[in-house]
Amino acid sequence: MPGPVRPRRRLKQPREQVMAAAMTAIAERGLAELTIAGLGREVGMSSGHVMYYFGSKDELLLQTLEWSEEQLGVERRAVLSRRAPVRERLDAFVDLYLPDGPRDPRWVLWSEVWNRSHPTEEALRRQLDLELVWHRDLVALVAEGISHGEFRTVDAERFAIRMRALLDGFGTHLVVGLPGAEREQVLGHVGEFVTDSLGC
């Protein structure tokens, strides 16, 4: 089953309507069924009109990913700014990072955009920028926990690299629906890693 699509604000711009339709189509039918013509029909545009906004399918996918991450970033910043223990906020960060379940549209989109990129392309820099936002927030959160005495002293940068590799690995297992990679199990494994590493 695809993961639930998080509620979004009301869409006013045609570009946003196309990107929202793309996310819905990925959630319901998968990326293989996503076509420019189909998206156009969903939002009442011609294929040419859709291409006017994006130029190519690759650019449409990348802009949809950026749009999705921008909205998720609002949720992440709200989580990080809560008045709550750092471990509680770290657990909420993990919950946001991981896919909602098999075929989570955000993760499906991530993997497809990465597969379409080449090391010299501007698109790759844009994807890395999206990754670095998560990384910097995680480093800052761990450093805060250390400074408050909630976590044992560790190299926050090194911990964040290992933590994100763990999340990406488990997230991939979860999004493709591997047996034994149900979301609650994944959260349990990650929680054990955090406890063992940070002593909290």
Side-chain angles (χ1 to χ4, degrees), residues 2-158:
V5 177
R6 299 175 189 275
R8 303 300 185 193
R9 59 186 171 79
R10 187 177 179 185
L11 306 173
K12 296 181 180 178
Q13 300 299 322
R15 286 179 63 259
E16 288 186 292
Q17 293 172 0
V18 175
M19 292 185 288
M23 290 299 286
T24 299
I26 292 168
E28 293 176 352
R29 299 184 293 278
L31 199 53
E33 302 296 321
L34 184 68
T35 66
I36 298 297
L39 286 176
R41 286 192 297 272
E42 289 287 332
V43 296
M45 295 181 190
S46 66
S47 298
H49 196 177
V50 173
M51 294 301 284
Y52 168 79
Y53 287 109
F54 300 99
S56 69
K57 185 174 181 179
D58 285 355
E59 182 63 21
L60 164 63
L61 294 176
L62 180 52
Q63 286 193 33
T64 301
L65 179 61
E66 290 171 329
W67 175 76
S68 171
E69 285 294 310
E70 179 184 344
Q71 293 176 77
L72 192 61
V74 173
E75 296 181 57
R76 187 177 67 251
R77 289 188 292 276
V79 161
L80 296 178
S81 63
R82 287 178 192 162
R83 291 184 177 275
V86 182
R87 174 60 192 266
E88 184 178 317
R89 285 183 278 143
L90 179 54
D91 289 342
F93 176 98
V94 168
D95 189 58
L96 277 177
Y97 192 105
L98 288 169
D100 289 325
R103 293 178 56 195
D104 178 293
R106 181 173 61 95
W107 274 69
V108 170
L109 190 54
W110 260 117
S111 62
E112 180 66 17
V113 170
W114 275 113
N115 287 338
R116 288 169 177 259
S117 297
H118 302 286
T120 58
E121 288 184 348
E122 171 71 9
L124 183 60
R125 183 198 62 77
R126 288 160 62 189
Q127 290 165 246
L128 289 172
D129 286 345
L130 297 176
E131 290 271 358
L132 285 173
V133 172
W134 286 91
H135 183 79
R136 286 193 295 265
D137 283 349
L138 180 55
V139 170
L141 192 59
V142 173
E144 181 185 348
I146 294 168
S147 69
H148 290 179
E150 292 185 42
F151 299 161
R152 72 164 58 103
T153 300
V154 299
D155 182 327
E157 178 75 22
R158 182 171 180 269

